[in-house]
Amino acid sequence: AALSLVFTNQQLAEWIDIGDTWEKFNHVGGYDLRVLRLTNETISMPKPVLFITASIHAREYTPAELTTRFAEYLVANYGIDADVTWLLDYHEIHLMLQSNPDGRKRAETGISWRKNANNNYCSNTDSRGADLNRNFEFQWGCCGGSSGSPCAETYRGPSPASEPETMAVQAYLRSIFPDQRDDPLNDPAPTDATGVYLDIHSYSQLVLWPWGFTNDLAPNSTALQTLGRKFAYFNSYSPSQAIDLYPTDGTTDDFGYGDLGVASYTFELGTTFFESCGIFENEILPDNLPALLYAAKVARTPYLTPAGPEALNLALSASAVAPGEPVTLTATLNDT
């Protein structure tokens, strides 16, 4: 789907190789790790960035499908829908549709596979590999939010960013977002910091923000909560700090915020790993597509814009006007 989309929309879409899976890195099969980058290439200027990683846990099919549908929606509505056209003209949207393809291929055989395929850990079993969402450098293994046992589902790997998939995502995050937060845990990102990072999982119907490794509030907690609650307004999920679910360390969203100061979130979609097509089409897609569009819209200043006011009920005085004729745009500004 991504290759076809890029081939038929080369002005808007680019398919970027950002690294290799463990199996490809070790020449035992495997895959390229790829990002679909969407923007109007003919408009050259600094653009705010939304980056989404999907299905970093192999058995979580729904995030990959949702993210692919988001890409298809954007491209199909460019030049037709005013919001979508503005988003692709003046923003960059980066989508990693499959963040763990080695593991995904194993899950497709019917195994409840979560980790990558690294055969150095719990070798030659269906429990091999590292949990990529416990392998990121930031606060790796710090706080009881992962396992040091190679056969455990939350095995964090032998060292921070030991896995090629983790290294690729970290490097890509650092390449598309500026470093906007100093290292001390209590130092906030500036209020005008830019960029949004979403890591999409299933399941539990949640919107989560940092920190996951401690009950302490992140220094930008008020702004993170404001945007998190806006996402939850659209998808009707439960919004909370990540640790409210359970302690985690070495995770994607803590890295995105902790390392770079980027407004970073986890979405937990739906109610099961293998969601039915009917539930996906009738609930998950229509509930979450507006949340993803909102994430793209606020990417320029995610710690400011979601606080409002919002422009609602936009209307034009005429649906079509001749060149030179006046037209009136009306809207209601609402700060609730």
Side-chain angles (χ1 to χ4, degrees), residues 47-248:
K47 299 179 181 182
V49 172
L50 166 65
F51 180 39
I52 299 177
T53 49
S55 298
I56 201 167
H57 289 147
R59 64 195 178 196
E60 300 174 11
Y61 287 13
T62 314
E65 182 65 18
L66 174 67
T67 308
T68 302
R69 295 290 191 95
F70 179 45
E72 292 171 344
Y73 176 88
L74 291 170
V75 172
N77 285 279
Y78 182 79
I80 298 170
D81 180 275
D83 279 350
V84 169
T85 305
W86 171 73
L87 284 173
L88 292 185
D89 279 349
Y90 299 109
H91 302 70
E92 292 183 12
I93 298 171
H94 300 238
L95 308 172
M96 193 171 187
L97 308 176
Q98 288 284 356
S99 304
N100 181 8
D102 286 353
R104 169 62 184 252
K105 280 299 180 182
R106 281 159 177 75
E108 288 175 358
T109 68
I111 302 170
S112 185
W113 199 285
R114 172 183 170 99
K115 301 189 282 185
N116 74 348
N118 192 328
N119 202 34
N120 294 318
Y121 323 132
C122 204
S123 303
N124 302 319
T125 73
D126 289 346
S127 298
R128 69 194 257 194
D131 181 348
L132 298 174
N133 199 33
R134 301 294 185 275
N135 187 239
F136 281 70
E137 287 178 4
F138 188 81
Q139 297 295 312
W140 177 87
C142 73
C143 309
S146 57
S147 176
S149 172
C151 295
E153 283 202 330
T154 59
Y155 177 54
R156 58 181 168 261
S159 59
S162 58
E163 308 309 297
E165 296 93 342
T166 307
M167 288 190 285
V169 174
Q170 286 191 172
Y172 196 71
L173 280 160
R174 288 167 172 161
S175 74
I176 61 174
F177 294 119
D179 186 351
Q180 302 167 102
R181 201 188 75 83
D182 292 333
D183 291 340
L185 288 179
N186 291 327
D187 283 6
T191 56
D192 62 351
T194 190
V196 172
Y197 171 45
L198 305 180
D199 187 30
I200 304 185
H201 289 252
S202 61
Y203 60 93
S204 287
Q205 297 182 321
L206 300 171
V207 174
L208 306 172
W209 56 84
W211 304 117
F213 68 91
T214 177
N215 285 300
D216 294 346
L217 298 179
N220 294 94
S221 62
T222 299
L224 288 166
Q225 175 180 267
T226 297
L227 178 51
R229 288 177 171 178
K230 281 288 178 72
F231 291 145
Y233 166 80
F234 291 109
N235 60 21
S236 298
Y237 289 177
S238 297
S240 69
Q241 185 174 331
I243 199 171
D244 292 347
L245 182 60
Y246 45 70
T248 57

